[in-house]
Amino acid sequence: MDKQNSRYRWVVFVSVLFIYLLMASQRTASGLITDQLMRDFNVTASTIGLLTSIQFFVYTSL
């Protein structure tokens, strides 16, 4: 194994790790701010649940 392959592996690892952390934060953000979203946009909990499920379907399709 030469240095170039080793560097490439770390770049790939860090990229995948960053994308995973970004996706995990996006998935949990709606659950943390549900009360504020319901109050600000004057919607019900079922509407927030629908929007959150649409987000999961988009991730699945990608």
Side-chain angles (χ1 to χ4, degrees):
M1 173 178 6
D2 57 0
K3 277 193 166 205
Q4 186 176 8
N5 284 341
S6 178
R7 174 182 279 168
Y8 177 73
R9 289 177 185 171
W10 279 108
V11 169
V12 170
F13 176 73
V14 169
S15 300
V16 170
L17 183 65
F18 175 73
I19 291 170
Y20 175 76
L21 291 174
L22 182 66
M23 287 176 56
S25 67
Q26 292 295 315
R27 285 185 289 190
T28 58
S30 61
L32 297 174
I33 60 171
T34 300
D35 294 334
Q36 290 101 355
L37 289 174
M38 289 172 55
R39 184 176 53 244
D40 291 345
F41 293 110
N42 197 22
V43 295
T44 63
S46 62
T47 305
I48 298 294
L50 177 66
L51 291 173
T52 304
S53 67
I54 289 171
Q55 182 181 11
F56 287 127
F57 288 131
V58 170
Y59 278 137
T60 303
S61 67
L62 292 175

